Amino acid sequence: MTTKTQTRSPLVQIVDDDATMRLLMRATLEKSGFRVTESSSGEEAISTFKKLRPEAILLDVLMPGMDGFETCKTLRSLPGGEHIPILMATGLDDVESINKAFDAGATDFVTKPINWPLMSHRVRYMLRASEAFLEIKEKQDQIHHLAFFDHLTGLANRSLFKASLEKALLECDKAHKKLAILFLDLDRFKTINDTLGHHIGDLLLKNIAERINRCIRETDSAARADQDDSINCVSRLGGDEFTILLTDLGSPENSEKIARRIIDSISLPFNLEGNKVLITASLGISTFPLDGRDSETLMKNADAAMYQAKERGRNCLQFFNKDLNFTVINRLPVAENLADLGLD
């Protein structure tokens, strides 16, 4: 015997301080197959919305305390309230009230006395329009993700990184602030691909992306604690190349600390489907405005610094300008362990 999966009917929230009006609305909507929840004030409506997440809201304008306009604005500001259909109802039929309702974020507006036979149809129409809108938005979000994010790691891709960098350059130039680009390339990644297979190589790239992100989140948390407005971005350019954008830096030394944290994190062992994998990274740093004032120059110089780090032994970081006092060459013992795994 087969059973059909029953979909629950939409939940509609009625917000009105008039108990008789709520009763009439409930009877009309339930007769049409909707589920109903009631709120007698704007404050209660906000609380109920957070708990039950209705699919549509019928909202009275004239209520004591928080009126319908203020309630509507508040609902729109809540997570999940941006696109929910809101039908506002009032005895006011002047143009000013209608405009005020739409300015507050109402989807539609009806005046009292309400045409009850049409009420359910209007609600159903709003729900259909909302569903169609959300489907279009979801497709747009998917297209956007494919265009600007790396399919393997979920990081920003080259296009998004360049756009973020150029935006940050404009802001830093106006505010006379510094930024840094970290260009990271894995050491001997091809050996791991050839030895353990591309599947393990892909898993390694995904895990490395997660470790870099964790390092940057720690940086963001520290920035927020200091009331910093840093805008950071992590990107996979392709293959085993990653770039990191760090903004609002007090000095190049700050980028060095973050870069060292990333290198140290990557050098820790990875356990990938039973395979213990050790790998290191070489990292180059260029800074604005010292090493360039445009995105192309800064990227090129960070890339050059990364290759210089490889020439000096790998598993280290290098600033583009060799004369900087902050140039760091830091060989770690992890590289010696690669030979033990046959990955050197």
Side-chain angles (χ1 to χ4, degrees):
M1 180 178 179
T2 59
T3 58
K4 294 183 178 180
T5 302
Q6 292 184 346
T7 57
R8 299 207 314 172
S9 57
L11 176 64
V12 179
Q13 181 179 2
I14 298 171
V15 186
D16 199 309
D17 62 316
D18 187 329
T20 301
M21 185 61 67
R22 294 200 307 272
L23 182 64
L24 290 170
M25 286 185 177
R26 173 182 282 276
T28 301
L29 293 170
E30 288 183 339
K31 185 178 179 181
S32 299
F34 293 105
R35 294 179 297 127
V36 175
T37 181
E38 297 181 23
S39 302
S40 59
S41 67
E43 292 83 0
E44 185 182 344
I46 302 301
S47 177
T48 301
F49 175 80
K50 291 178 180 178
K51 293 177 182 177
L52 300 182
R53 300 292 182 184
E55 280 84 7
I57 299 174
L58 301 185
L59 177 61
D60 186 35
V61 169
L62 298 178
M63 297 185 295
M66 181 184 286
D67 65 15
F69 301 124
E70 186 180 354
T71 302
C72 188
K73 286 181 181 178
T74 304
L75 287 167
R76 288 293 185 218
S77 68
L78 297 175
E82 303 94 332
H83 306 299
I84 187 170
I86 300 177
L87 177 63
M88 297 191 73
T90 181
L92 304 172
D93 60 356
D94 57 288
V95 175
E96 183 181 352
S97 297
I98 296 173
N99 289 336
K100 193 174 180 180
F102 287 120
D103 289 341
T107 307
D108 202 354
F109 186 92
V110 295
T111 57
K112 298 175 182 178
I114 293 174
N115 185 329
W116 297 110
L118 292 179
M119 170 64 72
S120 296
H121 293 293
R122 296 191 75 161
V123 172
R124 205 175 298 280
Y125 174 79
M126 287 198 311
L127 286 168
R128 287 176 181 170
S130 175
E131 183 178 350
F133 171 80
L134 291 175
E135 286 178 359
I136 293 171
K137 186 177 183 300
E138 183 179 358
K139 289 179 181 178
Q140 289 176 334
D141 291 342
Q142 290 173 349
I143 293 171
H144 179 271
H145 195 274
L146 290 172
F148 294 107
F149 291 89
D150 175 54
H151 72 282
L152 178 64
T153 63
L155 298 177
N157 64 12
R158 186 185 296 269
S159 297
L160 181 55
F161 184 84
K162 184 178 180 182
S164 299
L165 173 57
E166 291 180 347
K167 179 176 183 291
L169 284 171
L170 289 173
E171 294 177 358
C172 288
D173 192 33
K174 290 178 182 178
H176 304 289
K177 293 181 178 179
K178 298 180 177 66
L179 65 76
I181 295 175
L182 280 53
F183 200 116
L184 183 148
D185 186 87
L186 301 178
D187 300 326
R188 301 185 178 92
F189 176 70
K190 184 177 184 299
T191 303
I192 292 175
N193 257 343
D194 293 342
T195 306
L196 299 177
H198 288 277
H199 172 62
I200 297 298
D202 285 349
L203 285 178
L204 179 60
L205 291 172
K206 291 170 70 174
N207 277 264
I208 285 172
E210 291 172 3
R211 290 190 183 182
I212 295 174
N213 261 331
R214 280 199 297 269
C215 292
I216 299 304
R217 281 197 296 268
E218 290 174 12
T219 302
D220 288 340
S221 297
R224 284 192 292 271
D226 294 334
Q227 295 184 335
D228 196 347
D229 293 326
S230 298
I231 304 172
N232 300 321
C233 179
V234 182
S235 165
R236 178 185 175 222
L237 296 187
D240 60 338
E241 291 182 337
F242 297 83
T243 50
I244 301 100
L245 169 63
L246 303 173
T247 64
D248 202 20
L249 295 169
S251 72
E253 290 174 307
N254 294 336
S255 62
E256 176 193 332
K257 294 175 184 176
I258 299 166
R260 185 182 295 278
R261 186 189 306 152
I262 292 170
I263 289 177
D264 290 345
S265 177
I266 290 174
S267 69
L268 297 174
F270 293 86
N271 189 348
L272 306 174
E273 296 187 352
N275 298 283
K276 181 181 179 182
V277 178
L278 290 170
I279 195 166
T280 59
S282 299
L283 191 150
I285 305 174
S286 66
T287 60
F288 168 86
L290 183 64
D291 302 323
R293 302 191 66 88
D294 61 87
S295 61
E296 186 175 344
T297 301
L298 287 166
M299 289 285 287
K300 180 184 67 175
N301 291 344
D303 188 20
M306 181 272 294
Y307 276 105
Q308 188 177 49
K310 283 189 178 291
E311 290 174 2
R312 298 203 177 190
R314 298 184 174 89
N315 192 33
C316 62
L317 64 92
Q318 173 70 56
F319 280 95
F320 170 69
N321 189 339
K322 293 183 294 184
D323 297 328
L324 277 174
N325 294 328
F326 314 119
T327 299
V328 179
I329 304 299
N330 181 30
R331 292 300 307 275
L332 297 178
V334 176
E336 298 173 4
N337 295 329
L338 293 174
D340 297 336
L341 296 176
L343 301 179
D344 196 357

